[in-house]
Each structure stands twice: as C-alpha cells, then as structure tokens.
Amino acid sequence: MGMSGKIDIKPVKKILMGVMAAAVITIVGMVILTGAVILKGLDDGAIRATNQVIKVVSLLAGVGLSVGRGGERGLITGAVIGILYILVGYGLYSIIDGTHANAKIMAIEEAAGGLIGASAGVVLANMKAGKRARAYR
C-alpha cells in the first residue's frame, strides 16, 4: 500500500505483462518448431533441446519487458514471472494433452524458471537505464 492507502497494482500489471509476453513468444517458437519437425523430421532429442531453448528465450524476453534496464524489483519480479510462466505452460499443456506432469520434473522446472527469471531481473535492474527508459519512469 502506498501512502494514500491505495494498493499499487503497477507491479502486478508488469508481472502479468511479462508472463503474457513469454507465453506469446513460446507459442510463436512452438509454431516454428512444429514447422521444422514437419519439414526436417527432427528427432526427439533435438525437439526437447529446442523446446528448452524456446522456454529460456521466452522467459528472458518476458522478464526483460517487465523489468527493463535499470528497472525496480528485478529479483522478485523476475522470479515471479519465471514461476508463473512455467505454471501457465504446464497448465495449458495438461489441458491440451490431458496428462499431468511428473511432480519431481515440475518442481525442477519451477525452480529453474524462478532462478532464471530472478537472475535476469537482477542483471537488468542493475544495468544503467537508457535515456528513453528514464523518461518513462
């Protein structure tokens, strides 16, 4: 709560924006991956590796969009985006596929998402903001 007694929802909006951006980037990446599988016939190992790269790139982009260079609350914002992004991804996959993720794998993925997001948020928050970014804060 701020000094006026109102709840500041700006951080929540930033987190949701980051999760949605990461999800959209993932969908685009998956469409491209599907095309590569159809055209090139990629094996399971290549598909798994590419899927992990898509997740990391999507998460980094989502955190980058939310925190930005010289942003605030990079650690917590990045961690929350990472955890929510993985939860949303597994949730949607479970709905589409009708299966549930292994709890151990899910826990590892959540921890990795949180660590990657937090790390990216810290790095971004500690970078010097550009002139354009400072003008909008």
Side-chain angles (χ1 to χ4, degrees):
M1 269 192 210
M3 300 275 290
S4 65
K6 294 182 181 179
I7 297 174
D8 184 12
I9 63 168
K10 188 176 179 182
V12 174
K13 286 182 178 180
K14 283 187 164 198
I15 288 170
L16 292 176
M17 181 178 64
V19 172
M20 290 188 319
V24 168
I25 293 167
T26 299
I27 291 168
V28 171
M30 289 299 159
V31 168
I32 293 169
L33 177 59
T34 301
V37 169
I38 292 169
L39 295 174
K40 301 284 186 184
L42 299 176
D43 65 11
D44 286 347
I47 293 169
R48 275 191 221 103
T50 305
N51 184 38
Q52 292 302 320
V53 169
I54 290 169
K55 283 196 271 188
V56 170
V57 168
S58 299
L59 179 53
L60 292 175
V63 172
L65 184 65
S66 290
V67 175
R69 291 175 55 154
E72 297 176 356
R73 300 184 191 108
L75 177 72
I76 192 72
T77 301
V80 172
I81 289 171
I83 291 167
L84 289 177
Y85 166 71
I86 298 295
L87 276 174
V88 167
Y90 270 98
L92 290 174
Y93 183 78
S94 294
I95 291 169
I96 292 168
D97 192 43
T99 61
H100 298 288
N102 175 308
K104 184 178 178 181
I105 292 172
M106 179 78 171
I108 292 168
E109 290 268 350
E110 286 297 326
L115 286 171
I116 293 167
S119 299
V122 166
V123 169
L124 285 163
N126 285 293
M127 292 175 82
K128 185 177 178 182
K131 291 178 184 175
R132 186 177 293 165
R134 284 192 299 262
Y136 290 108
R137 291 186 199 245

